[in-house]
Amino acid sequence: IAGITQAPTSQILAAGRRMTLRCTQDMRHNAMYWYRQDLGLGLRLIHYSNTAGTTGKGEVPDGYSVSRANTDDFPLTLASAVPSQTSVYFCASSLYRNTEAFFGQGTRLTVV
Amino acid sequence: AQSVTQLGSHVSVSEGALVLLRCNYSSSVPPYLFWYVQYPNQGLQLLLKYTSAATLVKGINGFEAEFKKSETSFHLTKPSAHMSDAAEYFCAVSEGNTPLVFGKGTRLSVIA
């Protein structure tokens, strides 16, 4: 079934540790995104990529990095996790920037 | 920069009653507008989208939304609420060359 796969589905992480959230899409979409969802704040854009080889910063990029080596994969890395990065992380993709985005099932991350 | 305001973080309706979820947007160019639904512990699913064609947009599950440029609004409605409509609803805007910006969400409760 075509779509977006995120891994892991949930994780408890010690503060200061490095963590990479994985995201893979098989729809050949050009654009990909990482959002975080926090209660009362909705979804906020962390980083995005308009096409393979390019990335851009969103609303809340600090403490996160991304790469887009190919069309399908868009990993999100937390270099040194802090408790404020406890959140649900959603990866999404769209054919172009102004078309509808398709979302993965999310990764629930708890930093302790 | 574009932004979205969803009026009411929580809306409660009786089963069979009209559903009205409010969304106002800010955009410097003609916007692309979207409504998404999120069921518990799931990702976001597209309900409907406005991309400068008909101002009244019909979506899945009996929902529709009307684009009103003069009011900068894109409210979501459904004539008769079902218990299965209970979920979180998000309005989102894109200026065409930018990633989606989401509102903070409205939680819809349906009372039997």
Side-chain angles (χ1 to χ4, degrees), chain A residues 7-111:
Chain A
T9 55
S10 66
Q11 182 76 44
I12 299 174
L13 185 68
R17 297 296 296 269
R18 179 184 180 90
M19 175 76 188
T20 296
L21 308 185
R22 300 185 298 279
C23 175
T24 300
Q25 56 105 355
D26 60 4
M27 296 176 283
R28 307 304 294 173
H29 283 173
N30 294 294
M32 297 188 74
Y33 318 91
W34 276 105
Y35 290 89
R36 60 177 289 174
Q37 183 178 22
D38 303 287
L39 191 64
L41 298 178
L43 283 86
R44 294 179 292 168
L45 183 66
I46 305 171
H47 285 286
Y48 64 94
S49 169
N50 292 326
T51 187
T54 69
T55 62
K57 294 181 179 180
E59 179 185 357
V60 289
D62 293 344
Y64 305 96
S65 63
V66 292
S67 61
R68 186 90 183 275
N70 57 61
T71 297
D72 298 342
D73 301 301
F74 191 45
L76 176 73
T77 297
L78 289 68
S80 179
V82 296
S84 62
Q85 292 178 311
T86 293
S87 186
V88 181
Y89 291 85
F90 286 100
C91 180
S93 71
S94 62
L95 184 58
Y96 304 110
R97 279 174 288 182
N98 58 5
T99 56
E100 64 266 33
F102 293 82
F103 283 78
Q105 293 299 297
T107 294
R108 183 174 297 275
L109 180 66
T110 303
V111 182

